[in-house]
Structure formats: structure tokens, C-alpha cells
Amino acid sequence: MKSFKVNFHKEDQVDAMNVQKLNEEDFNRVTDGGTRHLFELDTNIGLFVYFDGEDKDGNVSYLVLHYEEEQEEPSGCYLFELRDFYEFAALHLNGLEFQAESEEEEEEYGPIHHLAHLMYHIIEEGKNLEE
């Protein structure tokens, strides 16, 4: 597991996040007790799958898999603190409500766009880690 910190733009109105990028061994360890799929976000930078996982001791982790284009295997797996993961879930839920109310679904910048923007920063910062 490699840890890194993501600092966002001031206008993003999100505090810096501590993120961990997992390799396959890390992923298997933190999800040994099972996973629970929560939601997905399909963007122009790939598909993001949000879920939580439990290790063999019952410790819960909050995770996002990133798939690029048509790839079957994820290009990255990221572990987040609960407060940051909660922010993602809140943006996703607000985005669903926003889309239902908006007549110009894709024209106006809303919570889903903001979530995609945050994920872009996280993915870009994660690319700087040595494999």
C-alpha cells in the first residue's frame, strides 16, 4: 500500500485527502471478508466503482476501483478515510437529485461533475507514485 496526499484547488472546497493506492495483494487482504458494491460513476476518464470491504478481522475499508476505457482489469484501487468516502457518496446522491430536477442534465455543472473532478485529481496524483 502506498500513501499519498491530494490537495485540491481552493474553489473545489474540499480539504486535502490522505489516500492509499493498493496493489492486488493489499486489495485481497482488505476485502478478505467480503465486499459491498455501493455505486458507480462513469466519466470521460474511466469508470469508478465505489464499495466497502471487510478484512478477515472485520475491519472495514472504503474503496474505489478505477477502470480505464474498455479495460477488464482495474488500473487502480484506492482506499479512503470514511469522512472522504462519505463526501463521495453525498455528491453522488445529490447528483441523482440534481439530475432529476435539472432540464439540462449534462449542460450544468452539478455534484456528479464535481465528484468526477475530484476523482481526476486523485487519479493524477496517484500516477506519481512509483509502481
Side-chain angles (χ1 to χ4, degrees):
M1 226 179 295
K2 296 189 179 194
S3 297
F4 61 99
K5 188 172 191 168
V6 180
N7 294 301
F8 299 96
H9 302 124
K10 183 179 179 179
E11 56 272 8
D12 291 334
Q13 299 179 349
V14 176
D15 293 335
M17 289 183 188
N18 294 313
V19 182
Q20 294 182 337
K21 189 171 185 180
L22 284 65
N23 60 31
E24 189 173 354
E25 183 181 316
D26 297 328
F27 174 83
N28 291 334
R29 184 177 43 74
V30 301
T31 61
D32 196 27
T35 62
R36 180 174 55 173
H37 178 269
L38 299 171
F39 62 94
E40 296 178 3
L41 177 65
D42 196 2
T43 72
N44 62 342
I45 58 169
L47 174 69
F48 296 92
V49 178
Y50 298 78
F51 64 103
D52 57 17
E54 194 173 290
D55 67 13
K56 65 180 180 179
D57 298 323
N59 300 310
V60 178
S61 296
Y62 306 96
L63 307 154
V64 176
L65 287 174
H66 175 228
Y67 293 87
E68 292 183 39
E69 298 183 19
E70 305 278 327
Q71 301 295 320
E72 289 188 28
E73 294 294 318
S75 57
C77 181
Y78 302 89
L79 185 145
F80 297 90
E81 295 174 6
L82 177 58
R83 69 179 179 86
D84 297 328
F85 196 81
Y86 180 84
E87 179 75 23
F88 301 151
L91 285 168
H92 178 73
L93 290 171
N94 285 334
L96 295 176
E97 188 174 301
F98 181 81
Q99 284 180 345
E101 295 174 359
S102 176
E103 294 176 20
E104 303 165 6
E105 290 179 25
E106 296 192 33
E107 297 297 321
E108 199 171 336
Y109 185 86
I112 294 292
H113 298 99
H114 190 62
L115 177 55
H117 176 76
L118 298 179
M119 296 312 300
Y120 170 79
H121 283 296
I122 292 163
I123 298 308
E124 287 300 305
E125 194 67 35
K127 287 180 180 177
N128 296 331
L129 297 176
E130 292 181 21
E131 295 297 323

